[in-house]
Amino acid sequence: MEQKENVCSVAKKCGGCRYQGVSYQEQLRRKQRITEGLLKKFGKVEPIIGMEDPYYYRNKVHATYKHMRNGDIAVGRYEESSHRLVPIESCQIEDQKADEVIQTIRKLAKSFKIKIFNEDSGYGLLRHVLIRTGRKTGEMLVVLVVASPVFPSKNNFVKALRKEHPEITSIVLNINDKKTSMILGERNIVLYGKGYIQDELCGYTFRISPHSFYQVNPVQTERLYKKAIRLADLKRKEKVLDAYCGIGTIGMIASKQVKEVIGVELNRDAIKDAISNAKRNHIHNVTFYNEDAGQFMVEMAEKGEHADVVIMDPPRTGSDEAFLSSVVRLAPNKVVYVSCGPETLVRDLKYLTKHGYRMKECTPFDLFPFTKHVETVVLLSQLRQKPDDYIDVDIDVAELEGTSAETKATYEKIKKYVAEHNDGMKVSNLYIAQVKRKCGIELAENFNLPKSEDARQPRCPKEKEEAIVEALKAFQMI
């Protein structure tokens, strides 16, 4: 019998780790079921690749500070969907050294009488701290996010911090003087070191700056990227386009197997790091462009240029139709899609499979243990026929007997699923009906639901709503 994991004391308030208290093997089973439920219509989903040790994997740690009424300073992160600070001393998924540095900064801020920024009044200096660590190099970058470049006694502060933590290799002052929920501002002032760190991934060295995108779980990222390269089955004469290339990681890893790699990224700072990374690794067949990848591919197609393989690693929101249409227009033989979320992947696969591609292989990776997120790498290849050889047929699924969403699972089945996967949680028919209607599922006419959102009926709590949504996904109702 599997033992439950040790539950974090602030798990319910923080909300960051959905699967706190659930055994790791059960977490993997749930993620596999969810991914299969969403993607099996496109082809076989391979078994999820989990971690041997699912703790303390995050190499990027963010903390917020707040002045308490008793004069003390609290540090932690905001409660889910709110601006209420949850004090946290250590986190089971974050780099332990980074957590120690965050607590030291809290003590130093009090002894140096540094004012903590107040979002309501706009008064104060220290807003956030961001820490990035190199798993293989051991380097550490500390970013102090402040509302003003005037930091009293900053030299002494840096000396005191480095005395406590000599492992810190660089300290940067990031100026964020705008009224915004964004963590980082645009301007950086280096207080100590080079202003960036380096880490190694798949045998290459990468420069990581405060704004750089770099996967937070390097152990699993290395496995995922190696899988993506294997799926692409690259040839020496091929040209690869790395869309959403960030600091150039996956494109450079692919470069030794192909004739040419083109990396395209909108973030200016990431492109600077990418160019620096290529030089650092003595790679000469990669070119980076600070442009919109979709428009770049359209221009390539208009010039009659071609890419054999497109590798795309979009943000969690997925891609958009404008970008996907440009992929179709460029018409690469293969597309390797690295997805941050199976829900948006489904949407994008629907578009690509409708326009001449088919999913050949799909493997989920657990890059974020204890959370609900799943990373997936998918290989798509062109069908032999052109998209124009197909006829689009619109079918009203609701008219087909036994196939509407309403018939896929009874209320009792949904209740049973929720209880089995959420430690015996009980949900009522009313709660299920509310969530189904919210998800756009047509309800039976005899089910008595209020006609307006203001009607005086109990509303489904968020925790139960999320559990019901998970059940609906598992039964392929949404």
Side-chain angles (χ1 to χ4, degrees):
M1 184 175 179
E2 294 177 0
Q3 282 189 321
K4 287 190 175 182
E5 308 288 346
N6 293 326
V7 180
C8 170
S9 60
V10 295
K12 290 185 178 180
K13 288 185 178 180
C14 171
C17 295
R18 175 77 180 275
Y19 290 144
Q20 273 288 333
V22 179
S23 75
Y24 188 54
Q25 289 305 312
E26 176 59 23
Q27 292 178 42
L28 295 178
R29 282 194 287 267
R30 292 186 189 183
K31 292 182 179 185
Q32 181 74 23
R33 280 195 296 267
I34 292 169
T35 307
E36 284 183 344
L38 291 167
L39 298 178
K40 67 181 181 182
K41 68 183 82 171
F42 301 105
K44 181 182 177 182
V45 178
E46 298 294 330
I48 189 169
I49 308 298
M51 297 189 73
E52 293 178 8
D53 182 3
Y55 291 97
Y56 310 113
Y57 57 84
R58 285 189 65 93
N59 59 13
K60 180 181 179 181
V61 180
H62 161 245
T64 300
Y65 294 80
K66 181 180 180 180
H67 265 304
M68 307 301 285
R69 290 182 178 179
N70 63 2
D72 202 359
I73 296 175
V75 60
R77 59 191 51 85
Y78 290 125
E79 186 176 334
E80 190 176 22
S81 303
S82 82
H83 259 50
R84 293 186 293 273
L85 190 76
V86 179
I88 298 173
E89 289 191 7
S90 63
C91 175
Q92 293 181 0
I93 65 173
E94 293 177 349
D95 182 274
Q96 291 172 291
K97 280 288 184 182
D99 279 349
E100 291 173 11
V101 172
I102 285 168
Q103 293 299 325
T104 299
I105 292 173
R106 179 181 70 86
K107 296 172 184 175
L108 291 177
K110 187 173 182 180
S111 62
F112 276 78
K113 295 183 171 54
I114 294 172
K115 298 295 183 183
I116 304 302
F117 185 79
N118 184 302
E119 285 190 335
D120 296 325
S121 67
Y123 177 74
L125 181 64
L126 183 62
R127 299 183 70 149
H128 310 278
V129 167
L130 178 69
I131 298 180
R132 312 194 72 158
T133 57
R135 179 179 67 94
K136 290 190 176 178
T137 62
E139 296 182 10
M140 179 182 289
L141 170 66
V142 176
V143 184
L144 305 170
V145 185
V146 293
S148 166
V150 181
F151 193 104
S153 304
K154 64 175 179 288
N155 292 335
N156 290 331
F157 186 92
V158 168
K159 287 179 182 178
L161 181 57
R162 287 200 62 246
K163 183 178 179 181
E164 291 286 329
H165 298 281
E167 65 271 22
I168 296 173
T169 51
S170 189
I171 301 174
V172 170
L173 203 64
N174 176 267
I175 316 304
N176 185 353
D177 55 3
K178 296 179 180 178
K179 192 172 184 179
T180 175
S181 59
M182 298 290 287
I183 295 171
L184 296 177
E186 295 180 2
R187 183 183 173 196
N188 291 316
I189 300 172
V190 178
L191 301 182
Y192 172 75
K194 298 178 179 178
Y196 61 86
I197 60 170
Q198 295 182 153
D199 199 18
E200 295 176 14
L201 192 69
C202 296
Y204 293 88
T205 301
F206 294 97
R207 165 177 163 162
I208 306 163
S209 302
H211 290 87
S212 298
F213 171 77
Y214 188 72
Q215 290 278 14
V216 300
N217 185 335
V219 174
Q220 289 293 83
T221 298
E222 194 157 286
R223 293 176 175 175
L224 183 145
Y225 282 178
K226 286 179 178 178
K227 178 69 172 180
I229 298 301
R230 283 199 298 272
L231 288 181
D233 190 23
L234 301 170
K235 304 293 189 293
R236 177 56 61 187
K237 294 182 178 181
E238 288 182 326
K239 178 192 288 187
V240 173
L241 191 144
D242 181 10
Y244 308 98
C245 73
I247 62 173
T249 45
I250 196 164
M252 278 186 270
I253 295 166
S255 65
K256 65 180 179 182
Q257 299 182 35
V258 298
K259 180 181 179 181
E260 181 185 359
V261 174
I262 298 172
V264 189
E265 170 65 51
L266 261 179
N267 185 300
R268 185 179 67 251
D269 292 321
I271 284 293
K272 287 180 181 178
D273 283 342
I275 293 170
S276 174
N277 288 331
K279 292 179 180 177
R280 182 176 285 102
N281 289 282
H282 308 291
I283 297 173
H284 306 292
N285 63 336
V286 179
T287 309
F288 293 104
Y289 295 88
N290 184 200
E291 296 184 28
D292 175 80
Q295 184 59 35
F296 187 89
M297 283 189 285
V298 169
E299 292 173 3
M300 280 184 68
E302 288 175 348
K303 294 175 185 176
E305 298 178 7
H306 178 68
D308 301 285
V309 181
V310 168
I311 299 173
M312 51 187 289
D313 186 0
R316 188 159 283 138
T317 52
S319 194
D320 57 32
E321 191 166 315
F323 177 89
L324 295 173
S325 66
S326 66
V327 173
V328 172
R329 188 169 178 182
L330 186 62
N333 301 326
K334 292 169 283 188
V335 176
V336 177
Y337 191 139
V338 179
S339 163
C340 298
E343 293 85 2
T344 53
L345 177 60
V346 169
R347 180 198 66 204
D348 295 347
L349 287 180
K350 283 180 181 177
Y351 185 93
L352 290 170
T353 54
K354 186 179 179 181
H355 290 82
Y357 287 87
R358 68 184 179 95
M359 186 178 87
K360 290 194 69 176
E361 190 167 333
C362 170
T363 303
F365 284 77
D366 189 24
L367 262 72
F368 313 101
F370 296 99
T371 78
K372 61 183 179 181
H373 302 300
V374 184
E375 200 92 357
T376 312
V377 59
V378 172
L379 171 65
L380 297 111
S381 63
Q382 273 195 338
L383 293 163
R384 290 183 179 180
Q385 298 93 336
K386 296 179 181 178
D388 293 340
D389 294 335
Y390 294 88
I391 300 174
D392 288 334
V393 179
D394 292 326
I395 299 175
D396 187 349
V397 178
E399 293 179 359
L400 300 179
E401 183 179 357
T403 61
S404 68
E406 183 63 22
T407 65
K408 286 189 177 179
T410 64
Y411 282 78
E412 291 307 313
K413 286 182 179 179
I414 294 171
K415 288 180 182 179
K416 185 178 179 182
Y417 183 95
V418 169
E420 288 178 351
H421 294 82
N422 294 273
D423 300 324
M425 179 187 289
K426 294 183 179 180
V427 294
S428 66
N429 286 357
L430 176 63
Y431 286 166
I432 295 171
Q434 288 175 353
V435 175
K436 288 173 77 173
R437 187 172 73 164
K438 193 172 182 180
C439 293
I441 299 174
E442 187 176 349
L443 301 176
E445 291 183 3
N446 64 349
F447 199 94
N448 186 23
L449 268 178
K451 294 182 179 179
S452 73
E453 297 295 329
D454 297 326
R456 294 184 178 276
Q457 283 195 329
R459 307 305 300 167
C460 181
K462 185 174 181 180
E463 182 182 3
K464 293 190 176 184
E465 179 180 332
E466 290 178 347
I468 294 169
V469 167
E470 187 175 310
L472 298 180
K473 288 178 181 177
F475 289 117
Q476 300 179 57
M477 299 173 73
I478 57 174

